[in-house]
Amino acid sequence: MRTMEQTTAEVLQLAAKHFKVPADSLSADDDFFKKLGIDSLQALEMLSRIENHFGIELPDYEVQGVSDFHTLASRIHSRL
Amino acid sequence: MLDLADYSSIGEALKDALEAFAPEICLIEADREREKQRMKYREFKLQALPLARKLQDAGFGAGDRAAIVMTNQPKWLISAYAIFFCGGVLVPLDYKLTPGEHWRLLKHSGATVLITEYPIWRQLQTDASRPAGSNVLTVVVTEAPPNADLADAHRWEEFAGGGLPAFVPRQRKDIACIVYSSGTGGRPKGCMMTHENYLEQCVALTSLYPFWPGVRYLSILPTNHAIDFMVGFFGPFTCGATVVHLRTLRPEYVREAFAKYKITYVSLVPLVLKNLQKGLQARFDALPPGKRKVFDALVRINRAVTRDRPLPIVSRLLLKQVHAAFGGRLRAIIVGGAFAEPENLQFFYDLGIPVANGYGLTEAGTAITVNDLKPFRADTVGKPLPGMEVRIVAPDAEGIGEVAVRSKTIMSGYLNEPGLTAESIVDGWLMTADLGRFDSHGHLQLFGRKKNMIVTEEGKNIYPEDIEMVFESLPVKEFCVFAANYVWPQRSMVGEQLVVVLRLEPGQTLTADLRRDIAGRNNRLLNYKRVHGIVLFEEDFPRTASLKIKRNVLAERLARFDRASAVLPL
């Protein structure tokens, strides 16, 4: 069973890999729209990769309005 | 198609459509790769009537208002029909708003009924801004888990009355919907749309882009949006066509849906169109050089043969694989909600996929102009739809002036805002505050806005006044948010951004702490509402006697600055 910290760390790693940025350039409190300069569709694409990694399905409504890694990780963690 | 000239209301037309097309498929619902259901028109009716009856049992009747806050799905349309059947007024709200914004608009609209989805209700129920004596008396919640505590809300699936409901007729001039074009944070602008507005708009649009049984429309734009309401509900239903709902809008599933469900039409905002183009371009770029040469030659041939008008059969033969990826039946992509860049439109047209770009406002009942494809013009927003009178008010030397519209599709006014209505509708003409000009072929070209607002690529109208509250108590002398293109007109509809103008205290500087404070507050806004830059202003803001900022005067003073050096990126 992962801890919340582990889930967050994995989310950050996956996002860094997906957008090809150094893993240590991202932190949990970052707003991923601003930090990565992405739009809502690119965020959804990242989410699909994260879902595959964790083996879960996150309905669109669960990520509605979410823009920081910490909140995203907590939504994922609650479904693990 | 039903002859809508014979009908007085949306409810009456839909009622007949459900009978006329009873054996046809009206809805397909899919979630990722799984198809959840296919529903015929007769089944739609069987689900809607018990809901209408139960609403009537709860006292809901002619002229009463009911709000829907749901993602795109069959229960949205079933609920809307039940509301119209009862003679009610539909208040479709954007499910992407925050709970606070929802409660604010629910109050403003005077809705007594709210129909929503469980995840949305869960947030609304516990939100601190939920008013104590709300006007919302009946809450109906879809898809609630069996163990969910709904308190005094009702489960949609069990909210069914016994016996047949009584159909409540409405007149053409009665209000059918209250649609919010803006004002989630500031002054709510609830457009009161009549039944006639929708009946007339439907006739005009389907004359150019017809529906019939067998046509499949992919519903992606939120159904509360005027475009999806028309071409993803009322239009296809009055023609016996099928609407396909996806429960997730992940780009990969949207792409798959075209081929899987052999989609005929889809409406997209420019952002999604760009994303589609990016995906296709990457595939073309990955072709081996030889194949790429052949492909480019075929695109050139297609462009040449479709110069005057689309030739779908020829294009599908020439560019078989591209069309196969879109299911082979796509007749047009309808682009709306915001201004689409000509190169995006041309990219698709060259592939033999016409993009129906147009121009419209919620206040004008969806579309005012649409490209009629005779021939396709990527550099304009097309010609006025049948029944639309469009003129350019006070044109300058280049013929550019404010676009004004008169037609039976224009709203009757803004809810509870007679002053604002009188400013917007002058002698029957809707003043759009958009700047445009007609070319020699009668096509409308747009050149920016007269009003202080932006429209994002996702089709969201953002008024600076609506987001200023997030900067309240910022430690500066005063601040004001502007649309950069309003201050520094660009003669362009693209690249619109908001900037926050700061008047610092004497001796104060823009420190890293102040920047962080601004960025932190900015991040509390939904991403598409955020400001992108800071402008420092070294005088006190001009104000009225009642101390309101004179925005137009301030904008004029700011316009003297050079935009590139004045706007400090945030």
Side-chain angles (χ1 to χ4, degrees), chain B residues 189 433-434 449-455 461-466 468 480-488 496-499 501 549-552 554-555 558:
Chain B
K189 284 183 174 174
D434 290 319
R449 304 178 202 288
K450 271 180 75 182
K451 57 194 162 189
N452 187 18
M453 69 167 299
I454 65 167
V455 180
N461 293 4
I462 315 295
Y463 287 80
E465 297 90 325
D466 285 1
E468 279 178 350
C480 186
V481 178
F482 277 105
N485 284 5
Y486 172 73
V487 178
W488 296 280
E496 296 186 298
Q497 293 186 333
L498 297 174
V499 294
V501 181
I549 297 171
K550 288 182 180 172
R551 288 174 190 269
N552 52 343
L554 180 54
L558 288 165

Side-chain angles (χ1 to χ4, degrees), chain B residues 344-405:
Chain B
N344 300 133
L345 306 175
Q346 193 68 51
F347 174 86
F348 285 94
Y349 190 77
D350 289 347
L351 296 174
I353 301 167
V355 181
N357 64 314
Y359 161 64
L361 286 85
T362 303
E363 286 84 344
T366 323
I368 296 167
T369 64
V370 176
N371 203 311
D372 63 3
L373 309 176
K374 300 172 188 170
F376 173 71
R377 290 275 308 276
D379 58 330
T380 80
V381 290
K383 293 178 182 172
L385 278 164
M388 292 278 175
E389 287 179 81
V390 183
R391 68 187 174 101
I392 305 298
V393 178
D396 63 13
E398 295 173 68
I400 299 170
E402 182 172 1
V403 179
V405 191

Side-chain angles (χ1 to χ4, degrees), chain B residues 22-131:
Chain B
E24 304 290 345
I25 301 284
C26 62
L27 292 167
I28 297 174
E29 181 186 9
D31 190 359
R32 296 166 190 250
E33 61 284 340
R34 304 179 292 271
E35 183 172 315
K36 289 179 76 178
Q37 64 167 325
R38 265 174 203 238
M39 190 187 295
K40 292 181 175 170
Y41 279 82
R42 69 161 67 92
E43 293 159 347
F44 183 97
K45 177 180 149 186
L46 289 176
Q47 289 210 31
L49 293 191
L51 174 60
R53 174 60 196 247
K54 192 72 176 176
L55 285 171
Q56 289 182 342
D57 290 347
F60 184 77
D64 291 340
R65 294 161 192 177
I68 294 181
V69 188
M70 293 170 85
T71 57
N72 294 24
Q73 62 143 314
K75 291 186 177 88
W76 201 115
L77 309 193
I78 293 167
S79 302
Y81 175 57
I83 292 164
F84 290 131
F85 194 94
C86 297
V89 174
L90 171 65
V91 182
L93 296 182
D94 183 354
Y95 67 86
K96 292 183 179 176
L97 299 177
T98 62
E101 290 170 331
H102 281 137
W103 282 120
R104 184 179 158 78
L105 294 185
L106 284 167
K107 184 178 177 202
H108 185 265
S109 69
T112 56
V113 171
L114 165 65
I115 303 178
T116 189
E117 291 169 354
Y118 177 69
I120 299 170
W121 176 240
R122 208 174 43 186
Q123 292 185 21
L124 282 172
Q125 203 180 10
T126 53
D127 188 71
S129 57
R130 183 183 183 184

Side-chain angles (χ1 to χ4, degrees), chain B residues 183-204:
Chain B
T184 52
R187 194 176 185 181
K189 284 183 174 174
C191 303
M192 295 187 288
M193 311 302 299
T194 65
H195 289 276
E196 180 172 64
N197 292 156
Y198 290 102
L199 291 162
E200 294 291 332
Q201 178 77 227
C202 192
V203 171

